[in-house]
Amino acid sequence: MVRWLSARLGPTVTSRYIARNLLRLLTSCYIGPARQQFAPNTDENGPLNGGNIYQKRPVLGDQVSKPVLACLMCVAHLYGEPVLTYQYLPYISYLVAPSSGSGASRLNSRKEAGLLAAMTLTQKIIVCLSDTTLMDILPKISQEVLLPVLGFLTSPAIGFPSGAQARVVLCIKTISLIALICLRIGQEMVQQHLSDTVGTFFGAFSLLQELPDQGLMLESPSRGENPSLETSPSDRGLLPLDPAVLAELQTVFNPEMAYTTYIPFSCLLGDVIQTIVPNHVLIERLAGLYLESMNPKSLHLASQEPAVNAVCADADTRGLDPFSGHPEDSRSGTFGSVLVGNRIQVPVEPQHDGAGSLGFCTRVGGFAPSSASEENALKQDLPRSAHMLCGNWLAYWQYEIGVSQHDSRFHFHQIKLQSFSGHLGAIKCVAPLGTEDFFLSGSKDKTVRLWPLYNCGDGTSEVEPRLTYTQHKKSVFFVGQLEAAQQVVSCDGTVHIWDQFTGKLVRTFDALDSKVPITAMTTMPPPHSSISVASADSVLRFFDHRKPGIQHEFRLASGASAGLIRCLAVSPSGRSVVAGFSSGFVVLLDTRTGLILRGWPAHEGDILQIKAAEGNMLISSSSDHSLIVWKELEQKPLHQYKSASDPVHAFDLYGSEVVTGTVANKIGVYSMLEPLALPVSTTKLSSENFRGTLTSLAVLPTKCHLLLGSDNGVIRLLA
């Protein structure tokens, strides 16, 4: 359902209301000690699985988060890399940012889960980024993601609510992420961009060696600073180190972790690692201790060689690189064997028999995953989607994701998003469907067209209609949807009801007298299936498309003084219908009883358009340049606006605001709640974004877009 909605709602609504909540939900997948336990059947060889650091050591939280991650990546596949770099990564930076409070010695459970979620999502993002994008944002990833996480991970002043287990899981996820980036960018780029990150991680091993010698004393950290060690307790205010935190660090940064992480990095970076990791002698000694404890018979106790040299030399004597596969496989990926720019190209190969239970090679120093599953790939190119964000769509989307969800005002920026060309005459009416993924348009060319509203291109593309209905014989002045029946209603003096999927005509309704034509019509809201039509004799008739004949008939005015009924509107509840006359007269009818509730002279000129809103509100515009907001049964208007230059001939509603359009191509926004004499905002459409004269207007309330029809037959989508 979420994937279907993501494609249907478009990039801005998806990012604001779906992706944001999915990101919050991802953190919830890792809350609590139970979610941070390793999944069954994955830790037979210990928590680090025999030295393989680029690995998916799944915890129970990873299993819970799979659907959430799948939906997040689906959004990225739909709308492209900007979703990853402009929405996901800033949220990750927010998750891992140090707390602003001073003196906090423990994380809360949500912050702890947020760190785990951030590492999981970042790993997904890195795999999907192109080489160019990865190199562009690598400094940001290092400074705003990796280093803050390492600050929490290696800090002797911060305890984890779930204890050592949470710190172990975070350590494995973090070093796995660093390893993935190293594999993507290559040795030289690691030295240039990740020296601080790698050095900070391995510096934690020295930290544990120094703490006992300094009496377990720690400098009290100031706001925004990482804790630092002091040799003299008398210099500044020092705090005694929490033994529980020290135990957590000793559980994580033990000889096994030193061996599992340092050996692969040393094989990847070569002698450069001695520059990046100043305490490499200590790390090598710890790695040697672990290797000796695991396999004492294979090592000569008298050997003075460092552990890393022994491992790499052993690999060389067998003619194998520590990262290679079987000796007979000449296609196995080795570091530096296949280079594409600054990225290591790992050949696709079948899974070998010696692969571990997680699909990773379990040999010593195993850095590269097997290619048996896409989940273990180093890089997966995002598919080229027709809805990928670029140009004006990207600029508008970037603005929208920064807007507060609580901002209820309509903001018009005059950004052209799409054009819909195909009509040969002026556009008389536009009507978006309830789902806002399609809209209908009626024109002087006697056709009705159904258009898709999915984002496409960079804002300059022209969209073809999905369906064209050609059975009208005159200019079409009304088009709408019967939502209950999923059918389209259009009128050129004769009402046509047709199937919106096939274009097949279902039924027509003609005026009873050819001398008294239909002048206005509207459809009833669901669950009603009725259609109301007004004729030149001031009679309002209701009929149901499922039944023959007229259901109801009401005369709204007598005599010629009222004029013709120009427009009709139905209240959102369907309980009343309001009719606007060419004389400026307005009549309100109760659809439940058939009684006229009220009739009054609302304007001094022809009523151009009228609409009904929630709260028994009516809005009408007239050729006398006025726009008036009424309460149904109140004599005086709530608000009255006067246009100085041109009358408002087209308007639509957005919440408590009225979005208006004039023949001078001006878009105004008026408030129905505030008694302002002037509109909240007024924008003159530029000729670059809109050509011709504005003839019709419709608001997409969920997407905050405007559909503008012109006299040249082109409809434009603007934001």
Side-chain angles (χ1 to χ4, degrees), residues 125-184:
I125 291 173
I126 295 298
V127 169
C128 294
L129 291 178
S130 65
D131 297 335
T132 304
T133 306
L134 177 59
M135 293 309 302
D136 288 342
I137 66 172
L138 186 57
K140 183 176 182 180
I141 292 175
S142 177
Q143 294 296 323
E144 298 183 12
V145 178
L146 293 176
L147 289 178
V149 170
L150 289 174
F152 287 110
L153 181 64
T154 62
S155 172
I158 298 177
F160 281 60
S162 301
Q165 177 64 19
R167 205 182 281 254
V168 167
V169 173
L170 180 61
C171 181
I172 292 175
K173 285 183 175 292
T174 304
I175 200 63
S176 177
L177 174 60
I178 296 173
L180 170 62
I181 297 175
C182 292
L183 285 168
R184 283 290 309 273

Side-chain angles (χ1 to χ4, degrees), residues 355-376:
S357 60
L358 295 178
F360 289 90
C361 305
T362 55
R363 58 192 173 275
V364 170
F367 215 140
S370 69
S371 307
S373 170
E374 290 184 2
E375 187 177 342
N376 300 329

Side-chain angles (χ1 to χ4, degrees), residues 487-498:
Q487 292 175 342
V488 175
V489 181
S490 53
C491 184
D492 63 350
T494 299
V495 179
H496 290 230
I497 303 173
W498 47 279

Side-chain angles (χ1 to χ4, degrees), residues 255-256 258-260 262-264 266-267 273-274 280-293 295 298-301 303-316 322 364-365:
E256 182 182 5
Y259 171 80
T260 307
Y262 185 74
I263 298 301
S266 64
C267 293
I273 198 170
Q274 298 182 5
H280 62 92
V281 175
L282 170 64
I283 308 296
E284 291 172 2
R285 180 169 59 84
L286 293 174
L289 291 175
Y290 173 74
L291 195 60
E292 180 181 350
S293 65
N295 194 9
S298 63
L299 296 178
H300 300 288
L301 298 178
S303 174
Q304 301 298 318
E305 288 293 319
V308 60
N309 295 337
V311 172
C312 292
D314 181 56
D316 291 338
V364 170

